[in-house]
Amino acid sequence: MPALDDHESQCKSFDQDGFLVMRDLLPSDILSEWKEFVGQQDLVHWLFRELHSRGHTAFAEESRIISSNDGNDGSGGGGGSREYSLGHGVKNGFCEIVMRSPGRYEISLLNLEKYAQLSMPSLPNLYQALEKAGISRFLSQDSWNNVSISNVSLVVSTPGSATQGWHADGGHVDLQKHLPCHCLNVFCALEDVTRQLGPTELRPGTQVHTRNLGPMMLAAHCQKTLRKPMTPILSAGDALCFDYRILHRGLPNTTADQNRCMLVITVAQSWFKDLLNFPKKSIFSKPDEDETEATSEVNEEKVSLTQN
């Protein structure tokens, strides 16, 4: 567990930069459990089969090539234009899965667990690892009991996914003045994240600028205080903690056949509820069912991931 002076230094760095890399945040036993869970479940393929079988998508695959690339354009061939079965953004997604950008998905494990037999590793053990690392201090809280878990999810970048657009995951509570962080993501690497897999790039300090993005970015540029992007490279077990309001993006996955999968824990001050990043509608409701009807009851019999 970090010493008090380490905590103070980490908090100062987090407040200034809007993010912090924490090496070996996940103990080896917890890391192994989550790696095994992700490897065995193959949630991406299973979810897309479910989407298709329930009438939500036109085909059962995550994507398909609609025009081939013969290599005459200098790209080396073997690629082509892709059609994705799920539409982009929250409006085209479900409470279980949203495509954040083409080929890049966020799967809410907490929402999916309401309907499917997931057999997830222990969440209390995972939360305990975050508590020991002092994550609550980045939210101006001395006690883990004073924060809440907004979500636990997997962010999956599939081969061929391109560079994501710059974005923040949430807005500011007060548009007139900058306040301390009220919500943050903890991106835990389940494997070594190479540049080929597509790490996360961040603009340090922009958690302040997104309060009024255009004018404040311009002012920082004119004052020569706008900082260059940074791309932390994570090893398995490391974590990237960042303020919900900071500008960041996922870089392209240029591998031929390897997903980049990150375990994400979203932690917030206890009063905060994130209502923007996932819709209410569920995969397990009918395509024309009203959202309030779709979420009024949770299925008593959960769907098995071994079906289909």
Side-chain angles (χ1 to χ4, degrees), residues 191-208:
E191 59 191 335
D192 294 348
V193 181
T194 64
R195 292 196 178 274
Q196 289 73 30
L197 281 172
T200 301
E201 187 176 35
L202 307 102
R203 296 296 302 258
T206 54
Q207 77 279 6
V208 175

Side-chain angles (χ1 to χ4, degrees), residues 56 58 66 134 136 140 235 292 303:
H56 297 297
I66 55 176
S136 63
S140 306
S235 298
T292 56
V303 178

Side-chain angles (χ1 to χ4, degrees), residues 104-144:
R104 192 182 310 272
Y105 304 93
E106 185 168 8
I107 300 169
S108 171
L109 297 177
L110 295 189
N111 288 337
L112 183 57
E113 189 184 33
K114 298 174 185 176
Y115 301 93
Q117 300 171 1
L118 286 186
S119 300
M120 273 193 297
S122 168
L123 289 177
N125 287 349
L126 178 63
Y127 300 157
Q128 187 178 45
L130 271 63
E131 180 181 7
K132 287 184 177 180
I135 298 297
S136 63
R137 291 176 179 267
F138 302 148
L139 295 164
S140 306
Q141 301 296 328
D142 289 333
S143 171
W144 183 256

Side-chain angles (χ1 to χ4, degrees), residues 295-306:
T295 57
S296 60
E297 295 183 1
V298 174
N299 293 352
E300 292 184 1
E301 294 188 6
K302 294 185 179 182
V303 178
S304 171
L305 269 67
T306 60

Side-chain angles (χ1 to χ4, degrees), residues 178-289:
H178 183 72
L179 297 178
C181 179
H182 63 277
C183 185
L184 60 84
N185 279 327
V186 183
F187 270 38
C188 297
L190 301 180
E191 59 191 335
D192 294 348
V193 181
T194 64
R195 292 196 178 274
Q196 289 73 30
L197 281 172
T200 301
E201 187 176 35
L202 307 102
R203 296 296 302 258
T206 54
Q207 77 279 6
V208 175
H209 303 144
T210 50
R211 180 162 54 88
N212 189 9
L213 184 60
M216 295 190 77
M217 288 286 281
L218 179 60
H221 177 75
C222 293
Q223 295 165 7
K224 297 184 179 181
T225 58
L226 189 62
R227 298 164 64 186
K228 294 181 179 179
M230 296 182 66
T231 309
I233 301 299
L234 305 181
S235 298
D238 292 347
L240 171 63
C241 307
F242 61 91
D243 192 313
Y244 236 39
R245 303 167 295 181
I246 194 173
L247 290 178
H248 64 283
R249 62 180 180 178
L251 296 181
N253 182 341
T254 60
T255 66
D257 56 6
Q258 185 178 359
N259 287 342
R260 187 213 71 172
C261 186
M262 304 287 285
L263 173 63
V264 180
I265 307 95
T266 303
V267 190
Q269 293 186 14
S270 57
W271 55 265
F272 177 74
K273 303 295 181 185
D274 185 356
L275 303 176
L276 300 178
N277 279 295
F278 284 92
K280 292 182 179 180
K281 64 180 179 181
S282 170
I283 290 172
F284 302 98
S285 61
K286 298 176 182 178
D288 58 350
E289 190 173 6

